[in-house]
Structure formats: C-alpha cells, structure tokens
Amino acid sequence: MLVIFPEGYADTNVSGIVSLYRPSNKHLDFDLPISLSDSHLLIPDKRLLDGRWDIKITWKHQGKDFQHRESITL
C-alpha cells in the first residue's frame, strides 16, 4: 500500500506513526513509524490480509500536527 504525502514533504522534516487496525482481529493490528522516500510511504502488503482495515496516520510537519483517518477494504 502506498501513502502519498504532498510534494515538499521529505524524510527529514516529517515524523509520525501509521496505525493499522483490523476490526475483526485485534491481534493483526500494528504501527509503523513514518519513513518517507520522496514524499511516499510504502506499507508492505505481507502484513495486510484481505478484509477491512482502519488506518490512522498521525504526523508532524514544520511544527504542526496532522491526522488522517480512513477505512479501506482489501
């Protein structure tokens, strides 16, 4: 899964966490630190089983806090 941040975000000025929650099985939940490559974050699909996932991305950029929530189905 690819998470794309706005242009101008670089690995040196963004910090945060991506939290993935599996509503049907909390044992599959996991967090990843944000580590960008040219304003992109790649989440390995080997940890993402088919079904519904709730994603929460919390990050800090230039001293400001941001958060995005979304539900997806794979």
Side-chain angles (χ1 to χ4, degrees):
M1 178 185 330
L2 185 63
V3 178
I4 301 173
F5 285 82
E7 285 190 32
Y9 278 49
D11 59 343
T12 57
N13 61 6
V14 175
S15 62
I17 297 284
V18 176
S19 300
L20 290 108
Y21 304 102
R22 180 67 183 238
S24 63
N25 186 345
K26 68 178 182 176
H27 297 291
L28 297 175
D29 296 353
F30 63 98
D31 295 327
L32 293 172
I34 292 177
S35 177
L36 299 183
S37 174
D38 294 328
S39 74
H40 296 80
L41 172 67
L42 184 61
I43 299 171
D45 62 358
K46 65 183 178 193
R47 297 191 69 180
L48 298 172
L49 301 177
D50 289 345
R52 179 179 167 200
W53 288 90
D54 293 334
I55 300 172
K56 181 174 80 170
I57 305 170
T58 306
W59 73 97
K60 182 173 274 201
H61 179 256
Q62 296 181 342
K64 294 182 183 178
D65 294 323
F66 298 91
Q67 186 178 83
H68 177 79
R69 292 176 182 254
E70 189 171 334
S71 292
I72 63 166
T73 302
L74 301 175

